[in-house]
Amino acid sequence: MTVLRLSTGAVVGSVDSTKRWRKALARTGCLPRAVELACATSDGLKQGDELIALVNAAADAGDLHSAQALADSIPLRGPQDRAMVDLVAAWARAGERDRAVALAERIRYPHHWGTAWAGLAKALVDRGDVEDALRFAARADDEVRSYVFDGTGEVLAVLVEVTAAAGDQVRAAALADRVEDFARSRNRKPGSRRPSLAAVLAWEALDGDLDRIDTLLRPAPDRGGRHEAGEAGVVEAVLAWIPPSGCFLKAQDLARVLDAVAEADDPDVALALADRAERLLDTNLGSDIGPDLNLLRMSVTRLLARFGEVERAMAVLEVSGPDECAARQALIVEELAHSGRTDRAEAIARAIADDETRSRALIAVVRALAGRGDPDRAEAVVHLITDEWARGEALVAVVRALAGRGETVRAEALTHSITHRATRARALVALAELSEPARARRLAAQVVLVDGWGAAMPVLERIAPRAVAVIVDQLMA
C-alpha cells in the first residue's frame, strides 16, 4: 500500500472518466463510493447508464443485495427497469427464483417484460429447472405477443434456445418461424438488422437443418406484373415484407451465422455453410447479398481455416499485393492455432515473408501452445520471433502457462527477459494472478515500480481490494 501511495502521489490529475474505476470499486465492496463518483455525472441519462453498469458489476461480484438496493434507488424509471431486468436473471442464476419472479413483477414498462421473463426462463433452464423454465418462457411469449417492440426478435431467439434445451423441438421450430417473420416485417434493411435471425439460423444449422438458410438465400420472386382485383390485396400483403430484389439473407447475416458455427465442433455443418457462402461469393450476386462482402469473406476464411481447409481459405480472400497476402496468411495461422492445428500453423507462419506479420502470426502459435499446456514448445517457438516487442508479447503467454503448472521461479525469470516495460508488467501481473498471496503482493509491487499503479489494477482487486479505494482517494485528493 505504501508503494501504491508513493506511485499515485507522483501522478498529476484525477480519476479518468471511464467506467473502469467505478466498476472496480463496486467489485471490491466500495459500491457507495462508486455511486458517489457516478452521480457526479451531470447528464441524467448518462448517469443512469453508469448506475446500471455498477448494478451489474456488484451482481457479478456476488453482492446481489447491494446491487438490488442500488437498482431500487435509481431515480429514472427507464434505467431502473433495465437494471431490474438484469437482476431478474442474476437472482435466478443464484438460485433465488421467488425473488427473481417478484422483481420481474415490479418492472414498469411493457417493452421490458418479455426480456425479463425470457432471461428468467434462460437462467432456470441452465440450472436444470425445465418445468418452470417452460412456464416462464410461455409468460415471455405472451408479453411479446401483446406488446411488439424492436427487441422482440431477441426475446424470441432466447425462447428458441430455452424450449430447445427443454426438449420441445416442435415449439422451438415454431418460435424460429416467428423470428424470421419478425425480421422480414421489422428489419428489412440489412444495416439495421439485429442478430436474432442469425442466431436462430446457426441453431438450426447445428441441429442439421439448413432448409431455412437455403430458402433465405434464394432470390425473391419478381414483384413486377399486375394482378386481378380479387387477389391484389392478398398478393400485396404477402409481397410487402419481401425485399424487391435479391435474397433476404445478406452478407452480414450470413457472416454472423458462420461466426457462430465456427465456435462449435461440427465440421460437416461448418463446411456445408462455407460451400453456400463460397457459391455466393463466386457468382455475380454481390449486389444481391449486400455491401458487406469483405466481412463475409473474412468469416468464410476464418471458418475454413479453423477446420483445416487451408487451400480453400487462402483462395477466398482477394489479394492485391504481397502485404495483403501476408496478412491473409497470418489470419489463417491464427485460426489454425486456435483450433489446435499448431504444427501446420507454425509451418505457414515461418513461410510468411514480412517480418512484422510473421511475428504476429507466431505470437498466435505461442499463445495456442501455451494455452494447451505446452509451455516448453511455446518457448521454443518464441525464439523464432525476431521482433523484440512481439517476443515479449509471446512470452506473456508462456509465463502464464508456466505459473499455471507451478513453475513460478522459471516463469519469473522469463519476465525479466522482456525488454518493454509495459509488456513485462503484464507478464508479472499474469504471474501474480496465479501465485500465493505473499508472492503475489511482492510481484504486484514490482508491477507498480515497472509500469505504475494502472498496470497493477487487474491483480490488486484480488490480493489487496482496499487498494482500489486508496488509489481513487489519492487521485481525487
Side-chain angles (χ1 to χ4, degrees):
M1 301 301 285
T2 301
V3 171
L4 282 174
R5 288 188 174 94
L6 291 171
S7 175
T8 54
V11 177
V12 178
S14 62
V15 176
D16 57 42
S17 60
T18 68
K19 298 178 181 179
R20 181 180 68 160
W21 287 107
R22 291 183 283 277
K23 288 183 178 180
L25 286 167
R27 289 191 297 264
T28 54
C30 300
L31 187 58
R33 184 77 170 103
V35 173
E36 178 187 339
L37 291 177
C39 288
T41 306
S42 58
D43 186 298
L45 292 176
K46 184 177 179 181
Q47 184 182 112
D49 291 338
E50 297 281 1
L51 294 176
I52 292 171
L54 293 181
V55 168
N56 284 302
D60 291 343
D63 191 0
L64 283 168
H65 291 281
S66 295
Q68 183 67 65
L70 175 56
D72 290 337
S73 71
I74 296 176
L76 296 177
R77 290 306 302 263
Q80 185 183 71
D81 265 13
R82 286 160 50 205
M84 288 184 172
V85 167
D86 293 340
L87 283 176
V88 166
W91 281 116
R93 286 193 296 270
E96 297 278 356
R97 190 204 63 178
D98 292 342
R99 190 187 291 269
V101 172
L103 183 58
E105 296 282 6
R106 289 175 48 201
I107 294 173
R108 178 175 181 176
Y109 295 119
H111 57 280
H112 292 307
W113 294 343
T115 307
W117 293 113
L120 175 55
K122 177 67 169 62
L124 291 176
V125 82
D126 288 345
R127 290 179 59 86
D129 188 351
V130 173
E131 184 177 349
D132 278 344
L134 288 175
R135 180 160 61 88
F136 291 119
R139 176 80 178 266
D141 193 3
D142 290 341
E143 298 296 353
V144 294
R145 285 182 185 276
S146 63
Y147 189 93
V148 179
F149 66 107
D150 286 344
T152 293
E154 276 65 41
V155 174
L156 292 174
V158 171
L159 298 184
V160 169
E161 185 179 351
V162 169
T163 52
D168 190 347
Q169 300 297 329
V170 174
R171 178 69 179 146
L175 287 164
D177 289 341
R178 288 170 57 198
V179 173
E180 179 188 343
D181 291 343
F182 183 81
R184 286 184 178 276
S185 62
R186 293 290 289 266
N187 302 127
R188 294 173 61 185
K189 295 181 179 180
S192 63
R193 194 173 296 163
R194 292 171 177 262
S196 54
L197 178 59
V200 167
L201 294 174
W203 169 75
E204 289 183 331
L206 291 170
D207 197 44
D209 183 2
L210 298 176
D211 290 345
R212 192 187 307 272
I213 288 178
D214 288 338
T215 300
L216 294 175
L217 286 174
R218 295 190 191 110
D222 186 3
R223 294 180 58 176
R226 302 182 64 82
H227 306 278
E228 297 296 329
E231 62 172 338
V234 175
V235 172
E236 288 304 316
V238 172
L239 294 180
W241 48 272
I242 298 178
S245 65
C247 53
F248 181 77
L249 204 64
K250 300 301 180 184
Q252 184 184 58
D253 302 314
L254 190 53
R256 285 170 172 166
V257 176
L258 295 179
D259 291 343
V261 169
E263 296 302 322
D265 187 19
D266 194 332
D268 292 336
V269 169
L271 296 179
L273 288 174
D275 288 341
R276 287 159 171 78
E278 283 182 288
R279 281 199 296 272
L280 276 174
L281 292 171
D282 289 341
T283 63
N284 294 321
L285 295 177
S287 59
D288 290 338
I289 61 174
D292 299 313
L293 286 178
N294 190 54
L295 182 68
L296 180 56
R297 289 185 191 279
M298 295 291 286
S299 293
V300 179
T301 300
R302 286 194 297 266
L303 182 70
L304 289 169
R306 185 165 295 191
F307 287 93
E309 297 287 331
V310 175
E311 289 74 19
R312 286 176 65 183
M314 294 182 73
V316 169
L317 286 179
E318 294 178 341
V319 176
S320 60
D323 290 343
E324 288 190 13
C325 181
R328 176 178 63 173
Q329 289 174 307
L331 174 65
I332 291 171
V333 167
E334 290 170 8
E335 294 302 326
L336 286 170
H338 181 79
S339 64
R341 296 173 172 84
T342 50
D343 289 340
R344 196 166 190 190
E346 182 183 340
I348 296 174
R350 284 171 175 259
I352 296 176
D354 179 71
D355 287 344
E356 183 178 347
T357 309
R358 182 174 61 254
S359 295
R360 178 167 64 87
L362 287 170
I363 290 173
V365 176
V366 171
R367 287 173 175 168
L369 289 168
R372 285 171 170 75
D374 193 355
D376 298 319
R377 187 180 163 202
E379 187 178 353
V381 175
V382 169
H383 295 302
L384 300 175
I385 301 175
T386 55
D387 180 78
E388 206 168 66
W389 173 86
R391 193 184 308 120
E393 285 291 312
L395 281 173
V396 173
V398 179
V399 167
R400 184 178 290 109
L402 288 171
R405 71 179 190 185
E407 295 188 46
T408 53
V409 174
R410 179 181 167 192
E412 187 169 353
L414 279 180
T415 65
H416 296 304
S417 71
I418 298 174
T419 304
H420 290 264
R421 295 173 67 88
T423 312
R424 192 190 322 150
R426 286 178 38 236
L428 288 166
V429 166
L431 179 56
E433 288 174 341
L434 295 168
S435 299
E436 48 84 21
R439 184 186 185 89
R441 284 192 292 272
R442 179 176 64 78
L443 292 167
Q446 289 186 42
V447 173
V448 174
L449 293 172
V450 168
D451 200 35
W453 47 264
M457 279 299 298
V459 72
L460 288 178
E461 288 187 34
R462 180 178 68 83
I463 65 171
R466 268 193 324 121
V468 178
V470 167
I471 294 172
V472 171
D473 290 340
Q474 289 281 112
L475 293 177
M476 295 290 287

